[in-house]
Amino acid sequence: MNAAIRFLSDLRRLGIGRDPNALFDARLTFGEKLADRVAAVGGSWSFIIGFGLFLGAWALLNTILLGAHAFDPFPFIFLNLMLSMLAALQAPIIMMSQNRQAAKDRLEARLDYETNLRTEVQIDSLHAKIDALTAEIARLSRVE
């Protein structure tokens, strides 16, 4: 949470007109960028289709093409081990990316809230000025 507070104070110092997404992305570490990339690739149809083709090729190679000399015969124990290790590594990396995205969303919501508060104060100020001008016009109308 300290990082979000520090980011908010830096953003306020920079003033209006800066893109909070660009500023947030500029502060990403290599690990955070890597986690986002892994999540983007692992959550795509390209990955699913490519991985399905790889699994089909693995099964085809180890059952039909290599036959009795297969290095991972059916029920594909080695493939199962590799898939388990991949899932064990990929899941926490994707969760790191999701947590960072949630922090970014919370920051964006906070900035939106602060913008709405500033806008409300400015509208109230304008409303007061219009009321004062209306009262002054009414007073001048009575004098003439």
Side-chain angles (χ1 to χ4, degrees), residues 31-70:
E32 290 169 333
K33 289 177 186 176
L34 182 62
D36 286 348
R37 189 70 188 129
V38 168
V41 170
S44 69
W45 279 108
S46 308
F47 177 80
I48 293 170
I49 292 168
F51 206 64
L53 292 173
F54 169 78
L55 293 175
W58 184 282
L60 181 69
L61 178 71
N62 282 290
T63 53
I64 296 173
L65 297 178
L66 295 178
H69 304 296

Side-chain angles (χ1 to χ4, degrees), residues 16-30:
I16 300 172
R18 298 298 302 262
D19 181 15
N21 291 322
L23 293 172
F24 193 88
D25 291 344
R27 293 175 164 251
L28 293 179
T29 64
F30 173 75

Side-chain angles (χ1 to χ4, degrees), residues 6-136:
R6 218 178 25 225
F7 179 74
L8 269 174
S9 65
D10 290 350
L11 187 61
R12 283 189 198 108
R13 239 182 301 127
L14 292 171
I16 300 172
R18 298 298 302 262
D19 181 15
N21 291 322
L23 293 172
F24 193 88
D25 291 344
R27 293 175 164 251
L28 293 179
T29 64
F30 173 75
E32 290 169 333
K33 289 177 186 176
L34 182 62
D36 286 348
R37 189 70 188 129
V38 168
V41 170
S44 69
W45 279 108
S46 308
F47 177 80
I48 293 170
I49 292 168
F51 206 64
L53 292 173
F54 169 78
L55 293 175
W58 184 282
L60 181 69
L61 178 71
N62 282 290
T63 53
I64 296 173
L65 297 178
L66 295 178
H69 304 296
F71 58 90
D72 187 22
F74 184 81
F76 312 120
I77 306 258
F78 182 67
L79 176 62
N80 191 12
L81 172 67
M82 292 296 117
L83 293 175
S84 297
M85 289 175 21
L86 175 68
L89 290 173
Q90 191 178 22
I93 291 172
I94 290 171
M95 288 176 65
M96 284 189 296
S97 177
Q98 288 174 338
N99 289 339
R100 193 198 57 71
Q101 185 62 44
K104 185 176 179 180
D105 291 343
R106 282 191 304 273
L107 174 65
E108 193 171 313
R110 171 120 184 200
L111 291 172
D112 287 346
Y113 175 73
E114 289 179 1
T115 300
N116 291 342
L117 284 178
R118 282 193 305 271
T119 303
E120 186 176 341
V121 168
Q122 289 174 350
I123 288 171
D124 285 345
S125 173
L126 288 173
H127 193 333
K129 289 176 183 177
I130 289 173
D131 287 346
L133 286 173
T134 304
E136 184 65 21

